[in-house]
Amino acid sequence: MKTVRHALPLILVATSSLIADGVSGFQFPDCVNGSLANNTVCDVKASPSDRAAALVKALNLAEKLANLVDNSLGAQRIGLPPYAWWNEALHGVAASPGVAFNWTGSPFSYATSFANTITMAAAFDDDLIFKIGNVISTEARAFINVGLAGLDYWTPNINPYKDPRWGRGHETPGEDPLRIKGYTKAIVAGLEGTGPIRKVIATCKHYAAYDLERWKGITRYRFNAIVSSQDLSEYYLAPFQQCARDSKVGSFMCSYNSLNGTPACASTYLMTDILRKHWNWTEHNNYITSDCNAIQDFLPGLHNFSSTPAQAAADALIAGTDTVCEVPGYPPFTDVVGAFNQTLLPEATIDLALKRLYEGLIRAGYFDPASSSPYRSIGWSAVNTPEAQALALQSAADGLVLLKNDGTLPLNLQGKSVALIGSWAGQGRQMLGGYSGIPPYLRHPVFAAQQLNLTFYSALGPVAQGNTPNATWAAPALAAAAKADVILYFGGTDVSIAGEDKDREAIAWPAAQLTLLERLATLGKPVVVVQLGDQVDDTPLLQNKNISAILWAGYPGQSGGTAVLDAIVGNTAPAGRLPVTQYPAAYVEQVPLTEMALRPTAAGSPGRTYRWYGDAVLPFGYGLHYTRFDASLSAVPSSTYEIGALLEECVEAHLDLCPFPSVLVRVVNTGNATSDYVALVFAQGEYGPKPYPIKTLVAYARLRGIKPGGTATAELRLNVGALARVDAAGNAVLYPGKYSLVLDVPGVSELGFELTGREKVLDLFPQPV
C-alpha cells in the first residue's frame, strides 16, 4: 500500500541538507587545484558536450551507477562532488532535499514567496511572469553560492488544469493551452536567463497527461490515462512543445501516470519520438528526471509494467529517463546496479544519461571558475530586496479577480468598523499554497487592516470542518460581525482540501463555511467574500442579494492580505481574469476525474474547459472592474486571406509560429476609477473537424493604469498556429473557412475574416506504433 510520498515540498520542512552559518552541502567542483583540473570538463574553451564526455569517461562503473539518482554521490576519487538534483522553486525558492534554509535566524533563513502560479496566471501579463522568474533565479543563485541549493529547479508545473477536482491545479497556469504557453515562455526565460551560462536549469513537468492525485481509491501511481492523439497533441502536450521546441528548456520531468498503457517514464513515444526527435530537444543534450519514486511504480501491483526493480530501472533509462528521483525511506530503491549486472542495462545507455545530466550542469557554469560567471557573486543582499517585495505584492494584486460586486466595492471605511472573519483572516500560511519556501513575512488581512489603521474585529472560521449546530466558530464570528459596520469574510479552500496527493470529490462551498456565510448575510450589513484557493461553485453567493461582493485571490503569497485590503478600500483596482472555468457543483456527477477526453462524449461527458463546456457558473476569462470600459477591435488589414499566400513568405522554423496580421485593441475608460484592463481575444467559427469548439483563446494582453476618460491601445500579435485546429491524428491544420475574432468575456467587439484555398498541415504529429 502506498502512502503520501512526494509531499515534502508542500510544507515548510527542515531538509536533510539543512546547515546553518553558511556551511555548505552543495559545492562547486575545484577546477583549479582539484583532481579534475586537468580534465577537459574544466576547460571552458571546449564544447559542453566534449566536457561532459570527458567527465563520464573518467568515471569507473561503480561511480557511474552511483550518479544516476537524484542524490548523486559524485566521485571522490576524481574530485567530483555529490549533487542533489531535487531543488524546488515554484513561486519562490522552496523547501526540498536540495534546498536548505538557515533556521538559526541568520542570513538565508527565507526567500521571497510570490503568489502561487494560478494567481500569477490570472494577471494575464507575461512581462510580470518573466520578472518573477528572474527574481526567483537571482535568489536561487544567492543560495547556490553559499552552498544551500543546487543549480537545477523542478519547476514550472505546466500540466493543463482541465478538471476543478485536481489537487495540484493551483500550481499550474490554468486550463488554456495558449495561456500556459505564454506563462511557460516567460517563466523559463526568467529562470534560465538568455546568456551563454544558464542562470538556473528549469524543469518542465509533469510529462505528460498528469492531472490526478488520489480520487475515489485511484492514485497517480497506478493511473493509466487514456488519451486520443487529437487531445494529446492539441491539449496535454501543447505547453511541453513550448518548453522543448521553442524555449529549449534545460530539463523535463516525466510523470507518475501511464499514458495509453505505458508508464510515462518508460515511454519511448513520449521521450524519444515526440520530445527528442519531433521537437528536436537534443541541441544541449537536455536531460529528463523521473518524478519521485515513479520508477518503483512500474512494478507489480501498480503499473504492472516491469517485473523487478532491476527491470524497472532498465526500462526507464533505456526509454530516455536520465536520472531517478527517490524519496528517502520508501524502498525498493532504484536497482541500477542490478540492471547492469543482469545485462538489462547497457553501459552505453548509462553513459548517455550521465552525459546529458552533466552537460546540463556544465551549461549552468558548474565546472567554470567563478570569475567567468555573471552569477557567482550574487549574495544575501539580493534576496527579498525592496524590488522583490514590491513584485510579490504586485503578483498578488494583479491576480485578484472580482467575481461579484453590487457597487459596495471599493469601500469607503472612513468612520466605519469592519469584521475580519474566516480561516485565513489572521493566518498567513494558507496564502502560500503548495511548494512553498519560508517567506520573510506573512502579511495576512488582519496585518493589512492594522497598517491601514482600520477599526476592526476579527474571528476565525471553518475550512472543511463538520457542519454541526455546536460549531465553535459560529459564536465568535457572529459576535465580531455584530459589532462592525462591514463584514469581510476570508474563506474558500486551502491545501488541506486540495493539494498534492489529495483531489477533491466535491466542488461546492464547504458546508460549514456556506452556513456561516448565510448567517452573516442575514445581519443586514455589507458582506464581502474574499475567496482563497481553488474555484468552488459560487452560485449560492452570486444569487444571495445580501452577499455584496466576491473577490477571488487564489493563493496570493507573502503579501496576500495587503493586496486584498488595498483592493477592498480602492487603493488598487482588481483587473484579473479567471484562468479556469468555474463549474457547477453537479459537474462532478457528470464526468469522472479519470475521463481524459475534452470534447463531449457519447457516454455522457458534457465536455471540459471553456472550449467544450458551455454551462459554466462563471466562464474562463471572467472578471469585473471598478470602472466601465468601452473596448473594441480594429479590423484586420484584409477580409480574406489565401492560406498558401499567408504562409509562403514565412521564415519561421515551424509553420505554426508564422505570424497572422496583428489585431489592434482600443480601450476607453468611461468610468470613474483608474484600472488595468485585460484584453482577451477568442476565435470562433465552423471550420476544421467537428465538433467545433465554442471558442478558442488566440491572444491576450494587459493594458495598465487607464485613467478615467483615458484611452489605451495594444497591438495583439497572434500566429497561425493559434487559429489552427487539430485533426483526429493530432496534426495541426490551418483550415479554410469564416473566422470571427471576439474581444472579452462576454464578447464586446467582433470582427471577421475568411481563409481561402487548400488546408495546410502546420505540424505533422508523430503517430504511436
Side-chain angles (χ1 to χ4, degrees):
M1 175 68 77
K2 293 268 181 161
T3 57
V4 178
R5 305 180 310 181
H6 191 185
L8 178 63
L10 286 171
I11 57 176
L12 308 181
V13 295
T15 71
S16 59
S17 58
L18 180 63
I19 309 167
D21 300 324
V23 178
S24 172
F26 164 86
Q27 57 182 305
F28 287 96
D30 185 352
C31 274
V32 177
N33 300 309
S35 302
L36 284 175
N38 295 320
N39 188 293
T40 301
V41 73
C42 289
D43 181 0
V44 297
K45 295 180 180 179
S47 71
S49 59
D50 286 346
R51 294 172 71 182
L55 175 67
V56 173
K57 185 177 180 180
L59 298 172
N60 63 38
L61 181 61
E63 290 165 342
K64 291 176 181 179
L65 294 172
N67 287 283
L68 289 175
V69 293
D70 67 293
N71 192 22
S72 296
L73 298 182
Q76 184 177 4
R77 179 184 61 86
I78 65 168
L80 179 66
Y83 185 81
W85 294 88
W86 186 350
N87 302 274
E88 300 283 0
L90 177 67
H91 58 114
V93 177
S96 47
V99 175
F101 288 89
N102 186 350
W103 292 81
T104 68
S106 55
F108 296 97
S109 57
Y110 55 77
T112 308
S113 187
F114 297 92
N116 218 308
T117 310
I118 197 69
T119 302
M120 288 190 217
F124 282 89
D125 185 344
D126 293 337
D127 289 339
L128 172 66
I129 301 302
F130 172 82
K131 291 176 183 176
I132 290 169
N134 188 45
V135 170
I136 291 172
S137 58
T138 295
E139 296 194 0
R141 274 287 180 167
F143 275 74
I144 291 163
N145 289 337
V146 294
L148 297 177
L151 285 162
D152 70 293
Y153 290 83
W154 292 353
T155 194
N157 181 344
I158 57 169
N159 295 111
Y161 188 9
K162 78 170 191 314
D163 191 294
R165 291 165 286 189
W166 183 31
R168 298 183 69 178
H170 73 272
E171 300 175 27
T172 79
E175 71 180 42
D176 179 74
L178 186 86
R179 176 71 195 101
I180 304 173
K181 280 186 170 185
Y183 167 88
T184 299
K185 180 179 180 179
I187 197 72
V188 169
L191 290 170
E192 294 199 334
T194 57
I197 297 176
R198 280 198 173 101
K199 199 174 180 186
V200 300
I201 305 166
T203 302
C204 289
K205 65 183 188 184
H206 311 80
Y207 186 66
Y210 168 56
D211 59 3
L212 179 144
E213 302 297 308
R214 186 178 297 271
W215 179 79
K216 294 189 175 182
I218 302 168
T219 69
R220 56 185 176 170
Y221 312 122
R222 66 178 71 206
F223 177 57
N224 180 27
I226 305 300
V227 184
S228 69
S229 293
Q230 187 175 45
D231 285 341
L232 189 65
S233 170
E234 177 183 72
Y235 192 69
Y236 294 103
L237 294 189
F240 294 99
Q241 179 196 65
Q242 173 65 51
C243 254
R245 191 194 72 179
D246 301 331
S247 293
K248 303 183 187 302
V249 72
S251 173
F252 261 53
M253 175 185 282
C254 53
S255 59
Y256 285 119
N257 58 280
S258 285
L259 175 67
N260 297 330
T262 302
C265 293
S267 174
T268 55
Y269 177 61
L270 281 176
M271 294 190 286
T272 300
D273 297 348
I274 296 176
L275 179 56
R276 287 185 164 124
K277 290 184 177 179
H278 184 57
W279 292 338
N280 196 31
W281 192 64
T282 56
E283 181 180 349
H284 296 159
N285 271 331
N286 315 82
Y287 65 87
I288 300 171
T289 177
S290 78
D291 207 335
C292 295
N293 287 14
I295 308 311
Q296 294 184 22
D297 297 339
F298 293 7
L299 298 175
L302 294 162
H303 288 310
N304 294 308
F305 186 79
S306 307
S307 57
T308 66
Q311 185 67 62
D315 288 341
L317 286 160
I318 290 171
T321 303
D322 299 307
T323 184
V324 177
C325 175
E326 298 178 331
V327 179
Y330 290 92
F333 295 120
T334 310
D335 190 8
V336 290
V337 174
F340 179 79
N341 288 340
Q342 297 170 37
T343 67
L344 301 172
L345 181 61
E347 188 170 3
T349 300
I350 296 169
D351 289 352
L352 179 58
L354 291 170
K355 287 175 186 177
R356 288 168 175 163
L357 289 165
Y358 283 103
E359 183 168 336
L361 292 181
I362 287 165
R363 291 181 179 277
Y366 184 57
F367 295 92
D368 295 353
S371 59
S372 69
S373 171
Y375 309 123
R376 292 285 287 275
S377 62
I378 296 172
W380 174 241
S381 62
V383 177
N384 195 46
T385 63
E387 294 77 14
Q389 294 175 11
L391 194 62
L393 176 59
Q394 183 185 350
S395 72
D398 287 359
L400 296 175
V401 183
L402 186 62
L403 303 181
K404 178 182 180 179
N405 189 18
D406 65 2
T408 296
L409 293 182
L411 285 167
N412 181 354
L413 295 177
Q414 186 70 33
K416 296 180 181 179
S417 61
V418 295
L420 287 79
I421 296 167
S423 61
W424 61 286
Q427 299 185 43
R429 186 66 54 80
Q430 291 165 285
M431 299 188 303
L432 301 180
Y435 282 76
S436 301
I438 303 175
Y441 46 72
L442 289 168
R443 292 179 173 168
H444 48 64
V446 166
F447 172 88
Q450 292 169 337
Q451 300 305 299
L452 292 172
N453 294 316
L454 299 181
T455 300
F456 68 90
Y457 310 94
S458 64
L460 292 175
V463 181
Q465 291 93 330
N467 189 19
T468 64
N470 300 320
T472 57
W473 54 82
L478 293 169
K483 299 175 186 177
D485 299 308
V486 176
I487 301 167
L488 306 180
Y489 179 81
F490 299 91
T493 69
D494 61 22
V495 294
S496 71
I497 291 177
E500 181 158 10
D501 211 53
K502 183 183 296 183
D503 294 317
R504 289 190 287 174
E505 292 190 18
I507 57 173
W509 269 89
Q513 292 194 53
L514 189 57
T515 296
L516 178 56
L517 276 167
E518 289 170 344
R519 294 183 69 178
L520 293 172
T522 64
L523 299 179
K525 303 177 181 184
V527 178
V528 176
V529 176
V530 187
Q531 183 180 328
L532 191 77
D534 297 312
Q535 294 300 311
V536 291
D537 182 354
D538 280 330
T539 299
L541 307 187
L542 294 168
Q543 294 178 346
N544 189 331
K545 295 181 180 180
N546 295 320
I547 300 293
S548 307
I550 306 171
L551 189 66
W552 177 75
Y555 287 100
Q558 67 184 38
S559 294
T562 302
V564 166
L565 265 293
D566 278 348
I568 287 173
V569 302
N571 292 338
T572 59
R577 302 299 186 99
L578 284 181
V580 289
T581 298
Q582 186 180 113
Y583 293 89
Y587 183 80
V588 301
E589 306 300 329
Q590 297 174 306
V591 56
L593 182 55
T594 51
E595 173 60 63
M596 303 299 289
L598 298 168
R599 292 156 179 76
T601 66
S605 170
R608 296 184 178 279
T609 81
Y610 75 95
R611 297 187 74 227
W612 306 105
Y613 180 79
D615 296 320
V617 174
L618 294 172
F620 170 90
Y622 185 84
L624 303 174
H625 303 91
Y626 286 167
T627 189
R628 297 182 303 278
F629 287 110
D630 183 0
S632 59
L633 291 173
S634 296
V636 290
S638 174
S639 60
T640 303
Y641 297 91
E642 200 277 324
I643 290 174
L646 191 63
L647 298 174
E648 66 182 1
E649 296 183 0
C650 176
V651 296
E652 296 289 342
H654 306 283
L655 287 177
D656 57 290
L657 298 179
C658 295
F660 186 79
S662 299
V663 177
L664 189 68
V665 175
R666 182 175 184 271
V667 182
V668 181
N669 186 340
T670 61
N672 300 315
T674 299
S675 176
D676 294 356
Y677 175 84
V678 171
L680 304 175
V681 177
F682 298 87
Q684 292 179 320
E686 296 184 353
Y687 45 86
K690 294 182 179 180
Y692 306 120
I694 298 168
K695 60 181 179 179
T696 301
L697 184 69
V698 295
Y700 59 85
R702 187 175 182 116
L703 288 71
R704 292 193 170 273
I706 309 173
K707 297 179 180 179
T711 299
T713 60
E715 181 184 4
L716 272 61
R717 298 178 180 178
L718 57 156
N719 55 44
V720 295
L723 299 172
R725 296 285 313 285
V726 175
D727 65 19
N731 304 313
V733 183
L734 190 61
Y735 288 98
K738 294 183 178 180
Y739 291 66
S740 293
L741 297 179
V742 180
L743 176 66
D744 214 337
V745 178
V748 297
S749 178
E750 183 175 352
L751 59 86
F753 61 90
E754 185 174 4
L755 296 185
T756 63
R758 297 181 62 181
E759 64 188 54
K760 175 67 175 179
V761 175
L762 304 179
D763 184 62
L764 192 64
F765 190 65
Q767 297 303 296
V769 178

